[in-house]
Each structure stands twice: as structure tokens, then as C-alpha cells.
Amino acid sequence: MADLDDIKDGKDWGIETPARNEAFFLKGSGGLEWGMKSRLARIFNPKSGRTVMLAFDHGYFQGPTTGLERIDLSILPLIPHADVLMCTRGILRSVIPPDCGKPIALRCSGGNSILKELSNELVAVDIDDAIRVDAAAMAAQIYIGAEYEHQSISNLIRLIDNGTKYGIPTLAVTGVGKDMVRDARYFGLASRIAAELGANYVKTYFVEDGFERVTAGCPVPIVIAGGKKLPELDALTMAYKAIDQGASGVDMGRNIFQAKSPTAMIRSVASVVHENEKPERAFDMYKTLISEGSN
């Protein structure tokens, strides 16, 4: 305990200065408790209010897809340039260095494969294990309109309830079956349902027509999925348009780790997300980084 000798009375009371009570920077998060806000502030950069998430959780239902055959070779070099890593607990424990210093968005839904109905998932990680690996967020897919819609929503609710109990945010990922319409009406519906149920942020897809209505209608932050591999300029343009229309970041996988130069690509994406760089200038940056030896 402190030494009781020579105790001095306080004198700097700041009587004329009102006590500060700053609002939390992130959309829809002001009413959350301290631990939840602390984790969200690790996920979203407090200066820009945005995030670049690196997604490499595809193997949980796709297996060793192109670019993820060896996580240690393809993903580890990218970690310093990402804000958040989105992965499964199996890859986290077996490959990701615990001293990397990056927050983890932990994939917590599973139980399906590309050989069967994708919407037939369950909660694949217990809350105790999410705490054990120091997850900054827990992620689950929801399949609005799919065969197992109700089950996927139940999975999300379970994560939200457990996450709220222990101060861990939940990311709802709007899964889309191959026969579903990918438009603003659908993604607006799915994103709003997720937020209404208590998801702290939502991952959905960018659409050219009406995306600003998707973000406006969702009371919590939206990050966009990268989706299928695009030419690098097209991917940077998609990221720019999404941010310009209200998204709070990206969660990209294939458009980064399948790029000609993944390191140059993630750095260029970050310039768009955090610095509002125009796509053409970000693409120039990408080409310059390649010429300088980025791989």
C-alpha cells in the first residue's frame, strides 16, 4: 500500500473546467459498457472510425482454397498491415503468432461444407474458448431467406447473448445462397435484422445500386465483404465506393491474398479506407509498391 507518511492534500481540482464526458466514436455503440467499447476500439481505428479486416476463415467450409494452402506462407506477411484478423480458432492456435498484436474476429459458426447446404450451421465455438483466445469479436453467418434461416438466426442470438455477458462484440455476416438475389433490398433486410437482434457490427456485400440505403438503414457499423476475386483497380474502386456510401471498413480475403502482390494490395486498400485515397491513386500506389519489391 502507499506510504502513509508525508501525505499531501490535493490542490489541482480544475474547479473552472467541466468534467469531460466524450461520446464514443463508433456508430450505434455509445450505450455499450466499457469492455465492449474497448474491444470495438481495437477493431475500428478511433482516428478514422474504420477498419481493414483480413479474412482468411474460408477453410472452415471450403478447405484449402487458392491462396490459403499455407497460411504461414501467405497470410503471416500480411498481418502487420491489417487492423483485424478474421479466422477460425484452429488456424489461430496452429499458425498465428500470439505476439502479433492484432485483434481477432473469431469465426464462431460452422458445421457445413461446400458439398452440402451452406445455411445449415451451428455455433462452433463455446464462449469460454472465445474468452480463452482473447477474441475481440465473435462472428456468425446468418442466412436470411435460406432453408436454415431460423437456425442461423438462433446461432447469432446465442453469440450476442453470451458476448454481451462477457463484453465481447458480435459480428453478423450476411450469408447469401447461390439462388438469392444480391441487391440492396436483400442486404438492407439482412443487415437490419442482424442489428435489431443485437449484433454490434455487420458484414455484408457492396451493391452498385442503393448501397447508401443499406448503410443508412443499419444502426451499427457495416463492413463490406470482398467477395470474389476482382481486378485490383476494381477491388479498390469497390472499397472506395462503399466507404463513400457509409461503410465503416472492409473485410477482404481473396481480393488481397489472391492479388499479384498481396502486401501491396492490403496497403493500398488501407489507404482507401483510412485516408480516403481515390481508387486510381491507390492503384498507382499498388503498382509503385510492386516495383519497389513488395510481394
Side-chain angles (χ1 to χ4, degrees):
M1 66 181 284
D3 192 340
L4 296 180
D5 294 332
D6 197 28
I7 295 177
K8 298 180 180 179
D9 289 337
K11 60 180 179 179
D12 188 10
W13 299 102
I15 300 298
E16 303 300 324
T17 305
R20 296 173 64 180
N21 187 17
E22 296 181 357
F24 191 60
F25 70 94
L26 198 61
K27 178 182 179 181
S29 305
L32 301 176
E33 55 85 32
W34 193 94
M36 196 79 84
K37 290 178 181 176
S38 176
R39 288 182 173 88
L40 287 169
R42 294 167 59 195
I43 295 168
F44 293 90
N45 185 316
K47 292 183 179 179
S48 66
R50 299 170 186 165
T51 187
V52 175
M53 297 177 60
L54 176 60
F56 51 99
D57 57 330
H58 307 61
Y60 93 93
F61 72 100
Q62 291 183 359
T65 191
T66 302
L68 296 181
E69 299 90 345
R70 287 279 302 274
I71 300 290
D72 58 326
L73 299 179
S74 61
I75 296 299
L76 294 194
L78 305 178
I79 288 178
H81 308 291
D83 296 317
V84 182
L85 309 179
M86 183 162 176
C87 61
T88 62
R89 61 178 171 179
I91 290 298
L92 183 66
R93 284 193 166 105
S94 61
V95 183
I96 306 303
D99 60 354
C100 73
K102 299 296 180 176
I104 303 299
L106 188 66
R107 164 62 66 176
C108 291
S109 59
N112 58 357
S113 80
I114 55 174
L115 303 179
K116 296 289 185 177
E117 168 58 41
L118 290 179
S119 65
N120 190 15
E121 288 194 338
L122 46 74
V123 174
V125 179
D126 188 81
I127 184 64
D128 289 346
D129 212 26
I131 295 169
R132 197 174 290 119
V133 300
D134 191 30
M138 299 183 295
Q141 210 94 347
I142 56 168
Y143 293 89
I144 302 302
E147 181 179 353
Y148 293 94
E149 173 191 271
H150 180 75
Q151 176 63 37
S152 70
I153 292 175
S154 297
N155 296 339
L156 178 66
I157 292 170
R158 179 177 165 189
L159 287 187
I160 291 168
D161 286 342
N162 283 325
T164 301
K165 189 183 301 181
Y166 293 101
I168 302 177
T170 300
L171 166 62
V173 183
T174 59
V176 184
K178 61 183 179 180
D179 298 325
M180 295 180 186
V181 177
R182 296 178 177 231
D183 60 14
R185 184 175 182 181
Y186 175 80
F187 292 125
L189 171 69
S191 298
R192 182 60 175 262
I193 288 173
E196 295 265 358
L197 291 171
N200 301 105
Y201 68 118
V202 176
K203 175 180 174 179
T204 195
Y205 288 88
F206 174 76
V207 289
E208 289 286 347
D209 185 17
F211 185 72
E212 69 278 3
R213 297 196 299 273
V214 177
T215 58
C218 184
V220 297
I222 281 180
V223 298
I224 65 158
K228 66 181 181 180
K229 176 67 175 73
L230 300 172
E232 280 75 5
L233 178 57
D234 291 349
L236 292 167
T237 300
M238 178 177 67
Y240 179 83
K241 289 181 177 179
I243 295 296
D244 185 58
Q245 294 179 42
S248 297
V250 303
D251 186 18
M252 283 191 170
R254 287 170 289 180
N255 278 300
I256 291 175
F257 61 71
Q258 290 181 356
K260 178 181 178 181
S261 173
T263 300
M265 188 60 182
I266 193 170
R267 292 176 64 182
S268 301
V269 169
S271 74
V272 171
V273 171
H274 291 303
E275 301 170 21
N276 298 311
E277 192 65 271
K278 296 294 179 61
E280 295 77 12
R281 287 180 61 85
F283 187 55
D284 288 341
M285 174 183 174
Y286 172 74
K287 292 184 289 186
T288 298
L289 288 169
I290 292 178
S291 68
E292 293 175 349
S294 289
N295 54 28

